[in-house]
Amino acid sequence: MGKTSMRVSQYAALLFMLPAVGTLQAAQDSSENQRGAATRQVKMHDIRIAIGSTYLTATLEDNPTARSFVKLLPLTLTLKDYGDAEKISGALPHRLSQDAAPESAAGATGDIAYYAPWGNIAFYRGRGPEAAGVIKIGKITSGIEALDQPGSMRVTITLGN
């Protein structure tokens, strides 16, 4: 075989292999993107609630309402007492999704809920009544005793670390 035909054969083999290399690289990139998205999704569900120099931690539910809440973060709210069981915010800057939400629910100690009729957030420090439009978006995992202070308080909610 001459030098020219050998070179042509090598180029032909190389051209034949290029699409396979590109496909392997695309599959690897896709796999890395999926792992990164999964990692971001897990981190997205952890939030931190600052009340002055005190920090509460919470885990958000995996539902459309909680996902739309995350889009508002970071968020500073003023909470006020609502009965013995709740601290509630004023209306949020935007309404949250109510897709796949139950008709009604009752908050339990540590729950964070969106109250759709008022467009606000409730932090439960005791058992709440069954009410239409209550959508659980999370659960406080530490520091709930900070909500026991009577009166209004400012809180800043951010994504957790």
Side-chain angles (χ1 to χ4, degrees), residues 9-114:
S9 296
Q10 289 173 339
Y11 285 132
L14 185 60
L15 287 174
F16 179 74
M17 290 172 40
L18 279 177
V21 171
T23 301
L24 287 173
Q25 183 62 47
Q28 182 180 6
D29 291 347
S30 175
S31 176
E32 287 173 9
N33 285 341
Q34 287 173 352
R35 278 194 304 274
T39 300
R40 281 190 303 276
Q41 186 175 13
V42 168
K43 288 182 181 177
M44 177 188 86
H45 290 292
D46 298 325
I47 61 171
R48 190 169 153 166
I49 304 154
I51 304 172
S53 61
T54 302
Y55 293 94
L56 291 72
T57 56
T59 301
L60 293 179
E61 298 289 313
D62 186 12
N63 64 40
T65 309
R67 286 191 292 274
S68 61
F69 178 68
V70 166
K71 292 177 185 175
L72 298 178
L73 302 180
L75 182 64
T76 299
L77 302 167
T78 298
L79 302 181
K80 64 180 182 177
D81 294 317
Y82 188 76
D84 292 334
E86 302 171 52
K87 286 273 193 191
I88 64 169
S89 72
L92 297 174
H94 301 287
R95 292 280 179 164
L96 303 183
S97 171
Q98 296 177 52
D99 293 346
E103 268 187 47
S104 68
T109 301
D111 283 353
I112 303 170
Y114 176 63

Side-chain angles (χ1 to χ4, degrees), residues 113-135:
Y114 176 63
Y115 184 55
W118 293 351
N120 71 334
I121 297 295
F123 292 85
Y124 288 88
R125 53 191 179 185
R127 178 102 178 123
E130 181 82 19
V134 172
I135 306 167

